Amino acid sequence: MVLNTVCSKTIFRTPWGVLLLAIALGSGLRFWHLAANPLWLDEILTALFSLGQSYQVVPLEQTIGFPDLLNLFHLQPRTCAAIAATVTQESTHPPLFFCVLHQWLTWLAPASDLTSLTWQLRSFPALMGVLLIGLLYCLNRVAFDQRAGVWGAVLMAVSPFAVYLSQEARHYTLPMVWLTLALICLMQMQRDLYQSQRFRPLYWLGWAIVNSLGLYTHYFFLMAVVAQVGVLLGRSLWERRWLTRWQLGAIGLAIAGIGLSYWPWLATLQGHADRGETSWLQLANPLAPIYQTVLTWVAMVIALPVEHQPWWVVGLSGILTLGFLVWLGRVASRGGMSLWKTPNTHLETWTLLGFMVLIWLQFGTIAYGLNRDITIAPRYSFVYYPAVCALLAAACRQGVIPNNGERLNPSVHPSRINRAKLYNRLFPIAFLTLSLLSSLCVIGGVAFTKPFQPQQVARHLGSEPEQALMIAIGYQNFQDVALGLSFALALPPFYPQTDKAAFAFLKRIPNYDGAWQTLATLPHPPAPLNLWAISPELRRRDYPGQLTLSGGVVCAIDPQQHYRIGIPYQRYHCLNFLAKTTRPTRSL
């Protein structure tokens, strides 16, 4: 077993004991420091929709104080139909996750402080991440055996990729729950079609239901449905035999059920597909989808710190990663070939592998055919990660089984047998240790860092807490507004006197001239103050050397305080030159 070498004298030497340990460990990793990092852009969108709010609540083209800004994030009880209507107009996602999270927040009664709200928003995805540990056990137990199920649970528990997705207030772990349930049903359906020649309607009905739920949770789930249908039909081509009428009828009926359940949302899907919010996914480098996919695969098992780290940390992480990947490749390939060649596991191995291949083909088609590189964001690989986790766990378990061929051969020298035995025992320990260390790096914010790094930006914005603060955010669409909100909500730890801070969202269409003119008319904190201009798509040389505010306040650019973390932002020092000045008198 996976952990026999670590705790062979404890209760955890049984498969059930290891499963409980995996669930406990996975729960700790997912809920530990859950609110340590501030909400980032996409999580701001989740917060607004799940709280029953909409874009309309955000004041634009006017000054807003921090308390008023924080009041935007309060629960407004809504029906799921009302949330779906808002999402239809203001988002490019299906509504189910937001409806479920809204109900979750209603049960929890959201707190007024920002840290508690952040924890509550992320707690539901984290809980789904814990549920995934148990479901991976079920998937691998159904597909292979109990010990493969334990391996799957342990791998899901400590996977840095799974921990990363579980700590995001986004709709990634919930569709992975639907997908894992769908794969469990798919395994039984494959056996009905190609082995037992029988029909168990509960699995077929369950498969249709969970796939329908997945489609209402995330649009990318459509790729998973296509891949599952491809696997169902593709096996007959692989074996070069025709399916019977009842088999084709069962498949057709299940697909029709999914289609009919999703029919009311198809028009909305088409409308969302034509919107411009996905323009940032345009393919810039033809090789990018290839190496980005490989890097995502690596991060599913090991994610040591390499982002914004000293060279020696990057070098050590690279050496450890490369060495472990070579070891993992040898073990997994050996175990995978064994699963493929074994009659009792061939169909299940073929099903998982075929599912993943069909997903990757769709990723490539979207990147090279539609010019949308969805591999640019590792999180989008959630759509096939449960299959990767299941197959990798089963292959590794098979690859380290003692007496795996060599000890049965009398020509093999005993010393070589002993080395192989030690090698096989050390692998689970190394795997568990490095994956656990990687998950701790994710929790600590040094791996899978939040996009646009709102915490780092807020540290710069609040670098002079003794000065009053004005933050002007240029926006073209509401994603820019949500980005500005993420920076604002990350500010309090670095700028405790938030009553001295003011914010303004200024439209930057067709250019920033209108935004600067609007800024000059808005109320602001009393001078002297620091003005930060957060200006997407504005180059450093394009920032004006001087800006004016109402009341005769003039702001001079600070050339030493220009940064770019995802987007550029520039500091100005503002003084009131119309204020009367008096000379201090000398004391006698």
Side-chain angles (χ1 to χ4, degrees):
M1 291 183 297
V2 180
L3 300 183
N4 272 0
T5 56
V6 181
C7 46
S8 60
K9 301 299 183 182
T10 72
I11 189 175
F12 298 114
R13 66 181 299 174
T14 65
W16 285 111
V18 179
L19 176 60
L20 292 176
L21 178 62
I23 292 174
L25 179 60
S27 300
L29 291 174
R30 282 152 180 77
F31 283 94
W32 188 28
H33 286 186
L34 189 58
N37 294 312
L39 300 172
W40 67 284
L41 187 156
D42 283 6
E43 292 180 305
I44 292 292
L45 301 178
T46 295
L48 287 174
F49 294 137
S50 301
L51 288 167
Q53 305 287 3
S54 71
Y55 295 167
Q56 309 304 321
V57 303
V58 182
L60 304 176
E61 314 299 327
Q62 58 184 285
T63 303
I64 178 173
F66 186 84
D68 294 328
L69 184 147
L70 190 59
N71 286 335
L72 302 177
F73 295 88
H74 69 274
L75 182 66
Q76 183 69 35
R78 300 287 189 194
T79 64
C80 186
I83 292 175
T86 301
V87 170
T88 299
Q89 297 297 321
E90 301 183 1
S91 178
T92 56
H93 297 97
L96 182 58
F97 172 76
F98 303 109
C99 291
V100 174
L101 186 56
H102 180 77
Q103 186 60 55
W104 175 260
L105 294 174
T106 302
W107 290 338
L108 294 180
S112 58
D113 65 291
L114 188 58
T115 301
S116 297
L117 178 61
T118 301
W119 189 94
Q120 291 174 341
L121 284 165
R122 290 174 177 165
S123 61
F124 179 74
L127 184 62
M128 294 299 100
V130 174
L131 178 59
L132 274 168
I133 300 172
L135 289 177
L136 248 293
Y137 169 82
C138 295
L139 173 59
N140 269 14
R141 181 168 183 175
V142 168
F144 303 105
D145 57 31
Q146 187 179 38
R147 292 188 176 183
V150 171
W151 272 82
V154 173
L155 177 54
M156 177 62 77
V158 299
S159 166
F161 185 73
V163 172
Y164 155 63
L165 293 182
S166 297
Q167 291 200 329
E168 290 269 296
R170 295 295 286 165
H171 42 186
Y172 302 127
T173 54
L174 181 58
M176 285 201 296
V177 166
W178 304 138
L179 177 57
T180 309
L181 289 170
L183 290 175
I184 292 173
C185 294
L186 182 66
M187 290 297 172
Q188 303 291 13
M189 294 162 63
Q190 288 283 74
R191 290 166 179 168
D192 287 352
L193 291 174
Y194 300 106
Q195 289 182 346
S196 64
Q197 300 296 312
R198 60 176 175 168
F199 179 69
R200 291 173 289 180
L202 287 179
Y203 289 114
W204 292 76
L205 178 62
W207 181 78
I209 290 174
V210 294
N211 276 295
S212 298
L213 292 172
L215 289 173
Y216 277 103
T217 305
H218 201 289
Y219 286 137
F220 284 2
F221 204 91
L222 180 61
M223 290 189 288
V225 175
V226 171
Q228 290 173 78
V229 173
V231 166
L232 280 173
L233 298 173
R235 184 65 187 182
S236 65
L237 298 177
W238 181 270
E239 294 185 348
R240 298 181 182 179
R241 66 183 178 95
W242 295 103
L243 294 173
T244 64
R245 289 184 179 180
W246 77 263
Q247 291 172 330
L248 290 174
I251 295 174
L253 189 61
I255 296 172
I258 297 173
L260 287 175
S261 68
Y262 202 61
W263 183 263
W265 195 258
L266 283 178
T268 304
L269 168 61
Q270 180 61 43
H272 285 174
D274 294 335
R275 290 171 60 167
E277 281 88 341
T278 60
S279 59
W280 65 280
L281 292 172
Q282 287 188 356
L283 179 64
N285 181 356
L287 296 178
I290 299 174
Y291 67 75
Q292 286 168 173
T293 299
V294 173
L295 291 176
T296 299
W297 294 347
V298 173
M300 289 178 178
V301 293
I302 182 171
L304 298 178
V306 294
E307 302 173 271
H308 315 293
Q309 300 297 320
W311 67 267
W312 63 270
V313 174
V314 175
L316 181 59
S317 298
I319 293 172
L320 286 174
T321 300
L322 183 60
F324 176 72
L325 290 177
V326 172
W327 195 359
L328 175 64
R330 293 183 61 184
V331 173
S333 60
R334 183 174 64 207
M337 289 302 298
S338 176
L339 292 173
W340 181 270
K341 294 178 180 179
T342 303
N344 290 339
T345 57
H346 173 76
L347 177 62
E348 292 75 14
T349 304
W350 186 94
T351 299
L352 290 173
L353 184 60
F355 172 82
M356 291 187 294
V357 169
L358 290 176
I359 290 287
W360 296 331
L361 289 175
Q362 293 177 79
F363 268 61
T365 300
I366 293 172
Y368 296 109
L370 303 180
N371 197 37
R372 288 292 184 268
D373 182 14
I374 59 178
T375 66
I376 194 172
R379 59 186 180 273
Y380 293 150
S381 295
F382 79 90
V383 76
Y384 64 87
Y385 176 67
V388 172
C389 187
L391 188 56
L392 180 62
C396 288
R397 182 260 172 182
Q398 191 72 12
V400 298
I401 291 177
N403 306 333
N404 191 16
E406 289 187 328
R407 287 187 63 181
L408 301 179
N409 186 349
S411 64
V412 178
H413 194 274
S415 62
R416 183 179 176 185
I417 294 174
N418 291 333
R419 287 196 301 271
K421 186 177 180 180
L422 178 63
Y423 177 92
N424 290 338
R425 286 184 173 180
L426 288 177
F427 176 78
I429 300 175
F431 199 153
L432 182 62
T433 301
L434 289 176
S435 293
L436 181 58
L437 179 60
S438 299
S439 293
L440 294 176
C441 290
V442 172
I443 296 169
V446 294
F448 282 115
T449 56
K450 299 295 183 185
F452 301 104
Q453 300 184 49
Q455 193 170 35
Q456 182 63 31
V457 174
R459 181 179 288 109
H460 291 149
L461 300 181
S463 57
E464 293 185 357
E466 68 281 358
Q467 289 279 4
L469 184 63
M470 179 79 172
I471 299 176
I473 302 109
Y475 75 92
Q476 182 175 5
N477 52 47
F478 194 79
Q479 289 189 332
D480 293 333
V481 176
L483 182 62
L485 289 173
S486 71
F487 297 153
L489 295 185
L491 191 60
F494 310 101
Y495 192 83
Q497 302 182 61
T498 51
D499 57 324
K500 295 168 56 178
F503 306 85
F505 296 94
L506 309 173
K507 197 168 186 177
R508 56 182 175 91
I509 298 176
N511 53 49
Y512 275 94
D513 292 341
W516 305 141
Q517 292 172 9
T518 302
L519 178 64
T521 66
L522 298 179
H524 54 81
L529 62 91
N530 286 330
L531 168 68
W532 283 94
I534 301 177
S535 313
E537 298 182 359
L538 199 63
R539 296 169 297 183
R540 180 170 186 167
R541 63 176 179 269
D542 294 330
Y543 279 91
Q546 182 175 290
L547 291 173
T548 59
L549 302 180
S550 61
V553 174
V554 178
C555 304
I557 194 169
D558 183 350
Q560 303 301 319
Q561 295 294 317
H562 178 89
Y563 303 94
R564 184 182 184 94
I565 301 179
I567 62 170
Y569 49 104
Q570 173 68 56
R571 187 170 76 179
Y572 289 79
H573 291 295
C574 304
L575 298 173
N576 190 344
F577 285 94
L578 295 184
K580 295 181 180 180
T581 59
T582 58
R583 290 185 179 181
T585 58
R586 292 183 180 180
S587 58
L588 300 176

